[in-house]
């Protein structure tokens, strides 16, 4: 099975760029563990320039190999201009699975410039035996469902995802985020500042200690924050799990750094081929 795109891109006007070997300048749209690992691998290759782009949401991001730029590009047009100015040969969108706007912009900028795009997305979590998952399509849908499932909520949707819950006055929320959440937050909110990875024993203790009766999470995938799901299963707690937004049609998707590097090494890196 080809790992390239899932069919032609509607309204694609791009000229697929042919590359002889590893592209010499790769832009990594970052903000994830995978982006950091990819930048490490690319920076170690002689002759490859790697620039990681960060949105600037986290005040103290960890070290990243290669060059780093911070802040938005100014939409798809701004990103396209940046790709041309910086003579970028390939883009890897390794942003978080819920960062839908930058992914859409990357797809549009790739189409406009002909610079190949690979979207690196870790696999989604899947329920196993014993899980009591309630999948929902959005944060708003999670807030609608929540009052029917519990009263003491462990909310791990990130510091920017609290507004849809802010009108819920009855439940007690225990919110965990890397940095303090932005307002508006629900009136009964307790904040735990922490950065993963987390362990199953610690997550179990946290759920017990705070007498949590329902967990809310995005389906982020990956291993750093999966322990809360294992702990919830062991305690038979319901989990409201927010599904990922869909990818733009036709993009080339990979699930790990190794496959991404192999695609970048391929003689042709193009959207919609294969
Ligand atoms: P988003 O909604 O998709 O993007 C909003 C805007 O932020 C984009 O239009 C773009 O501005 C700018 N932006 C986003 N990612 C960027 C990047 N890597 N480099 C430069 N500009 C970027 O994104 P988001 O959900 O706010 O996430 C922002 C960052 O946090 C991403 O890098 C993502 O990987 C990381 N992150 C997100 C989550 C999450 O749950 N959403 C979780 C963990 C980490 P312009 O239009 O001006 O270019």
């Amino acid at each position: 099975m080809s790992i390239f795109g899932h069919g032609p891109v509607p309204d694609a006007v791009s000229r697929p760029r042919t590359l002889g070997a590893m592209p010499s300048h790769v832009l990594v749209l970052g903000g994830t563990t995978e982006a950091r690992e990819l930048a490490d691998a690319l920076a170690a290759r002689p002759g490859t320039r790697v620039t990681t782009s960060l949105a600037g949401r986290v005040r103290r991001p960890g070290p990243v190999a290669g060059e780093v730029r911070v802040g938005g590009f100014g939409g798809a047009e701004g990103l396209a201009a940046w790709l041309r100015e910086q003579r970028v040969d390939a883009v890897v969108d390794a942003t978080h699975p819920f960062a839908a706007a930058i992914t859409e912009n990357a797809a549009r900028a790739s189409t406009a410039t002909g610079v190949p795009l690979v979207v690196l997305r870790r696999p989604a979590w899947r329920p196993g035996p014993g899980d009591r998952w309630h999948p929902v399509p959005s944060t708003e849908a999670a807030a609608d469902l929540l009052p029917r499932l519990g009263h003491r909520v462990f909310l791990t949707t990130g510091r920017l995802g609290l507004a849809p819950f802010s009108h819920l006055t009855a439940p007690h929320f225990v919110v965990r985020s890397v940095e303090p959440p932005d307002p508006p937050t629900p009136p009964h909110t307790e904040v735990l500042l922490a950065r993963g990875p987390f362990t199953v024993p610690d997550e179990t203790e946290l759920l017990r200690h705070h007498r949590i009766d329902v967990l809310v999470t995005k389906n982020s995938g990956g291993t750093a924050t999966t322990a809360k799901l294992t702990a919830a299963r062991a305690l038979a707690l319901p989990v409201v799990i927010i599904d990922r937004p869909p990818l733009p049609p036709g993009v080339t998707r990979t699930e790990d750094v190794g496959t991404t590097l192999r695609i970048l090494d391929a003689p042709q890196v193009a959207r919609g081929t294969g």
Side-chain angles (χ1 to χ4, degrees):
M1 191 185 76
S2 169
I3 42 184
F4 284 108
H6 311 296
V9 185
D11 77 359
V13 292
S14 63
R15 168 183 52 86
R17 187 174 294 185
T18 303
L19 302 166
M22 170 61 72
S24 57
H25 186 191
V26 181
L27 173 65
V28 178
L29 299 171
T32 60
T33 308
E34 294 77 20
R36 192 181 300 275
E37 290 171 1
L38 182 66
D40 276 349
L42 289 170
R45 294 183 169 212
T48 296
R49 175 183 171 202
V50 55
T51 305
T52 295
S53 176
L54 301 173
R57 306 272 195 277
V58 177
R59 285 180 200 98
R60 283 177 287 120
V64 179
E67 297 169 39
V68 176
R69 67 163 299 289
V70 180
F73 294 94
E77 294 73 20
L79 177 55
W82 199 92
L83 297 179
R84 290 192 187 100
E85 278 161 22
Q86 298 293 321
R87 305 182 66 79
V88 172
D89 298 299
V91 180
V92 179
D93 171 11
T95 56
H96 191 270
F98 282 81
I102 188 71
T103 298
E104 179 62 33
N105 290 350
R108 287 175 48 206
S110 169
T111 299
T113 59
V115 176
L117 168 69
V118 180
V119 178
L120 167 55
R121 283 285 181 282
R122 56 178 96 132
W125 292 318
R126 301 200 183 288
D131 279 325
R132 296 176 58 202
W133 283 17
H134 298 262
V136 290
S138 64
T139 310
E140 289 73 17
D144 284 347
L145 178 64
L146 198 50
R148 280 176 269 153
L149 294 176
H151 307 285
R152 295 188 60 86
V153 185
F154 185 34
L155 187 58
T156 62
T157 51
R159 73 180 171 98
L160 301 174
L162 267 64
F165 301 95
S166 60
H167 67 285
L168 296 177
T169 52
H172 178 87
F173 285 87
V174 176
V175 171
R176 182 170 66 197
S177 54
V178 175
E179 296 192 2
D182 286 2
T185 58
H188 306 294
T189 296
E190 190 177 342
V191 177
L192 308 176
L193 295 182
R195 189 195 292 264
F198 304 103
T199 67
V200 175
D202 286 352
E203 296 290 63
T204 307
E205 173 54 26
L206 185 153
L207 294 174
R208 283 206 177 107
H209 176 78
H210 291 279
R211 294 178 286 117
I212 298 297
D213 56 15
V214 59
L215 165 68
V216 183
T217 181
K218 293 173 178 170
N219 193 335
S220 299
T223 54
T225 57
T226 193
K228 65 191 169 196
L229 295 170
T230 311
R233 182 189 309 142
L235 298 174
L237 297 185
V239 177
V240 179
I241 188 143
I242 304 167
D243 287 335
R244 297 169 170 205
L247 288 178
V251 296
T252 298
R253 181 193 167 191
T254 60
E255 294 193 335
D256 58 76
V257 170
T259 309
T260 307
L261 290 169
R262 281 196 292 284
I263 290 200
L264 292 174
D265 273 333
Q268 257 198 340
V269 178
R271 294 184 67 205
T273 54

